[in-house]
Amino acid sequence: MKYIFITGGVVSSLGKGLTAGSLGALLECRGLKVCTQKFDPYLNIDPGTMNPSQHGEVYVLDDGTETDLDLGHYERFTSSTLSKKNTFTSGQIYASVLHKERNGDYLGKTVQVIPHVTNEIKERIYAAGEDADVVITEIGGTTGDIEGLPFLEALRQIALERNHENVLFVHVTLIPFLKAAGELKTKPTQQSVAKLREIGILPDIIICRTEIPISDEMRQKISLFCNVPVKSVIEELDLKVSIYELPSLLHFEKLDDIVCEKLRIQTQPCNIQPWETIVEKIKFPKRECTVGLVAKYLDVKDAYKSVYEAIAHSGIQNDCKVNVEVIDAEELEQADEMDEFFSNIDGILLPGGFGNRGIEGKILAAKFAREHRIPYFGLCLGMQIAAIEFARHVLGYGDANSTEMVPETSNPVVRMMLNQRNIQKKGGTMRLGSYPCKLILGTKAYEAYRNAYVNERHRHRYEFNNDYRQQFEERGMIFSGINPDFDLVEILELKDHPWFLGVQFHPEFRSKPQRAHPLFADFIAAVLKEKV
Ligand code: GLN
């Protein structure tokens, strides 16, 4: 097994996850089987209880694991379907150590970070990718973080255990441009590499994030101070058009050649063509449209990361540039006039969310889409909102709501799922992961999937209340996707509307740049069709 360890230096948000995913993509282009894995040094067991405004989106895997959004990059850039074996936090590692201690597994010993915590980390790296050629392990955070130290120590031990063979250290760092001096600076990189060396890790490859190209002279300087050959100083320029340019950019810098040479892997030549085709399509779209994203987590763009990506994939598939205009749900709530918010909007998308804030604004957006025949796509909460809106304004139940928002509402068209009602603990207890959905022939959902059964990823506690199903149907709502085991509404759509569809799941988690999710692709196709 070959191991590639990716660490980050100087600042967070360097795009290590994108770099790890893109390296995975390049190795797959050379015919290798790749396994990607991430360790997050925070103490939460998983990010499931974290606010997306701080941490960004919570990404969900098929097996229901709630993870960091970098796992989303890994799944989008590589062909892998990931599971709980691909994501760990310090919280999980320590919980396991403490559980073993109480169990008496270490009887007689003093339990310590080295070796007990580091052993747990190593076990998880060794257990990854049984049938892969290469394991790419990313360590979250930045060198020098106190909480990241046990992970770096574990990597150092793995290199030692493997005789420094078949192990490669890639350090992603920032080369800041100082405007006042008019210069790029290498000192932060030198210092972050010094931090790695302090712990006994000598990076093999330095990937330099930079706003402007780095000169040969600068590459030589980084090479000298960081102790890597000049050709292993890789420039990673800020991407102009799309993140999907990254595999080609790193290939141009010969990253995959260097990696394969250092790990002594013989492969077929790299077939970068599929990525170049994608970039080509993004660069030269034939048409353009604008989707309004009615949102409430506004401080961090990453809060809706996979939704943005799935929209971009649908653009690629439809040969079109999709602009996303964020509409603040709370502002909508206050507005007297809806028209101004939607004057430039060709389609309305309501993403998932939790809690009461912004709900009334979202309901107004769904009403606007229904009445003005604007294509509408509701994801999870976005489906529940569509149901509430329909109950209020078509069925005439003015107080219809979800019991999440108003527990005592007299018309709970969305209510807590039965098996959720006795759950007290918050972490990892929602309806999570992949569940089957049966599609009804002749519906827009079926038309998109062209399949009678599909599996989609979930993350919710509330559901459509089946007591209202008949009344909805009588007034033109179609329940086009149903969970066959529990008769839960998974997809609803309006009969007399160009394209108005809500899904209880998160299709954005299964969309790929080469293969947009069918519902996203059809939503954008409908947006384009209605635009003319
Ligand atoms: N808050 C809603 C629920 O728990 C929707 C969740 C979501 O959008 N992911 O059912």
Side-chain angles (χ1 to χ4, degrees), residues 352-355 379-381 384 404 459-462 504 506:
F354 294 84
L379 313 176
C380 204
L381 179 68
Q384 299 172 356
E404 178 181 6
R459 183 171 185 257
H460 64 117
R461 286 190 208 282
Y462 296 82
Q504 187 54 79
H506 290 277

Side-chain angles (χ1 to χ4, degrees), residues 68 70 77 122 162 175 195 245 257-258 287 384 388 391 447 457 482 486 526:
D68 182 77
D70 279 326
F77 276 89
K122 285 191 293 180
R162 300 273 141 162
I175 309 290
K195 270 267 162 239
E245 288 173 286
D257 280 347
I258 297 166
R287 307 177 60 185
Q384 299 172 356
I388 297 168
E447 205 175 293
R457 297 181 187 177
I482 301 291
F486 302 99

Side-chain angles (χ1 to χ4, degrees), residues 98-118:
L98 296 177
H99 177 76
K100 286 182 182 168
E101 189 277 332
R102 289 292 79 185
N103 226 15
D105 295 359
Y106 308 118
L107 225 48
K109 299 212 176 73
T110 307
V111 182
Q112 294 180 301
V113 173
I114 306 172
H116 300 102
V117 170
T118 47

Side-chain angles (χ1 to χ4, degrees), residues 436-440 451-454 479-484 490-491:
C437 169
K438 184 177 184 310
L439 299 171
I440 312 301
N451 213 335
Y453 281 93
V454 293
F479 297 100
S480 50
I482 301 291
N483 174 282
E490 296 281 15
I491 311 178

